[in-house]
Amino acid sequence: GNSVTQMEGPVTLSEEAFLTINCTYTATGYPSLFWYVQYPGEGLQLLLKATKADDKGSNKGFEATYRKETTSFHLEKGSVQVSDSAVYFCALSDLQGGSEKLVFGKGMKLTVNP
Amino acid sequence: GAGVSQSPSNKVTEKGKDVELRCDPISGHTALYWYRQSLGQGLEFLIYFQGNSAPDKSGLPSDRFSAERTGGSVSTLTIQRTQQEDSAVYLCASSYRQGNQPQHFGDGTRLSIL
């Protein structure tokens, strides 16, 4: 079946450091890919998405590019802030059965220190 | 506008009792999803509703779990004869009709089985 594998951490960075969170997927067909973020004490929020190969999603300084050849969707940010401390989930939309349910990676907890 | 609303936010109950969890999706969203977030299993899909179509129940872990959606809006997830392994955060999400529309999540119900 479809699956997502991502870095699990936890990871601690200093403010203004460069961030990369690796995400690779296995899927039949061409799913949409997502990054969701869960800030402390809050619900899951969509951070960015890409719906086809070579698309780049971006939001709040974060970027990820849909790479079909490497089945990857790595999340990057050039300079993290303390407010980026959260758990980050990579996900794909599973088109089997027609429900477009999300298949998530296990999540990675990021802590950014001042 | 109002987001996805879930109630209760926390539920503590004794093993063997039945529980009902409620989800109010965003107005106008025809697709509704239930997921479960637990330490051991991460985020797992449970069930999906779309309009008047038959639900996709492929993620329900046992026949103790059921869900319904009345009038195409509010949904209730019921767990009968709860077990300790049912302890988790139950998340509801909704989206516009299919077509790579992002899912919007509620804050979840934290269920603890004593």
Side-chain angles (χ1 to χ4, degrees):
Chain A
N2 295 345
S3 65
V4 173
T5 302
Q6 67 170 107
M7 289 171 60
E8 294 185 29
V11 169
T12 301
L13 296 175
S14 297
E15 206 164 25
E16 299 184 2
F18 183 84
L19 171 70
T20 299
I21 305 176
N22 289 338
C23 172
T24 57
Y25 67 90
T26 302
T28 54
Y30 302 99
S32 293
L33 301 175
F34 306 84
W35 278 99
Y36 278 83
V37 60
Q38 192 170 34
Y39 297 104
E42 298 186 17
L44 212 54
Q45 302 174 25
L46 177 66
L47 180 59
L48 53 83
K49 71 171 187 175
T51 58
K52 60 183 187 296
D54 299 325
D55 266 4
K56 177 187 284 188
S58 61
N59 186 25
K60 299 182 180 181
F62 290 88
E63 292 184 339
T65 301
Y66 191 143
R67 301 285 188 200
K68 189 163 68 97
E69 62 276 14
T70 55
T71 60
S72 65
F73 193 54
H74 304 322
L75 183 69
E76 295 184 337
K77 185 172 185 180
S79 176
V80 294
Q81 305 300 311
V82 172
S83 57
D84 295 326
S85 298
V87 181
Y88 292 82
F89 295 90
C90 185
L92 62 79
S93 60
D94 187 335
L95 305 176
Q96 297 176 62
S99 69
E100 292 190 27
K101 59 183 176 286
L102 293 172
V103 175
F104 288 91
K106 292 195 178 295
M108 196 208 79
K109 182 176 181 179
L110 170 68
T111 301
V112 180
N113 292 323
Chain B
V4 176
S5 176
Q6 292 188 245
S7 61
S9 55
N10 284 283
K11 176 73 176 177
V12 180
T13 192
E14 293 178 347
K15 177 182 169 181
K17 300 286 190 185
D18 297 351
V19 295
E20 282 190 354
L21 312 179
R22 177 187 169 103
C23 172
D24 277 279
I26 292 173
S27 178
H29 282 190
T30 58
L32 186 147
Y33 303 79
W34 284 97
Y35 296 87
R36 179 169 70 174
Q37 186 175 22
S38 58
L39 281 176
Q41 302 298 323
L43 273 156
E44 306 170 281
F45 165 77
L46 296 176
I47 188 168
Y48 158 78
F49 296 91
Q50 169 61 34
N52 295 321
S53 302
D56 175 359
K57 304 179 183 180
S58 60
L60 295 178
S62 78
D63 58 7
R64 296 187 295 103
F65 288 72
S66 63
E68 61 179 23
R69 189 179 185 190
T70 54
S73 181
V74 171
S75 177
T76 303
L77 176 69
T78 301
I79 309 173
Q80 295 179 309
R81 305 180 304 282
T82 52
Q83 303 295 312
Q84 287 188 329
E85 62 263 28
D86 299 335
S87 296
V89 177
Y90 289 82
L91 296 171
C92 178
S94 69
S95 69
Y96 286 110
R97 61 176 175 82
Q98 291 175 297
N100 294 318
Q101 298 301 313
Q103 295 178 28
H104 299 264
F105 284 79
D107 287 342
T109 293
R110 182 174 296 278
L111 177 64
S112 300
I113 310 299
L114 302 179

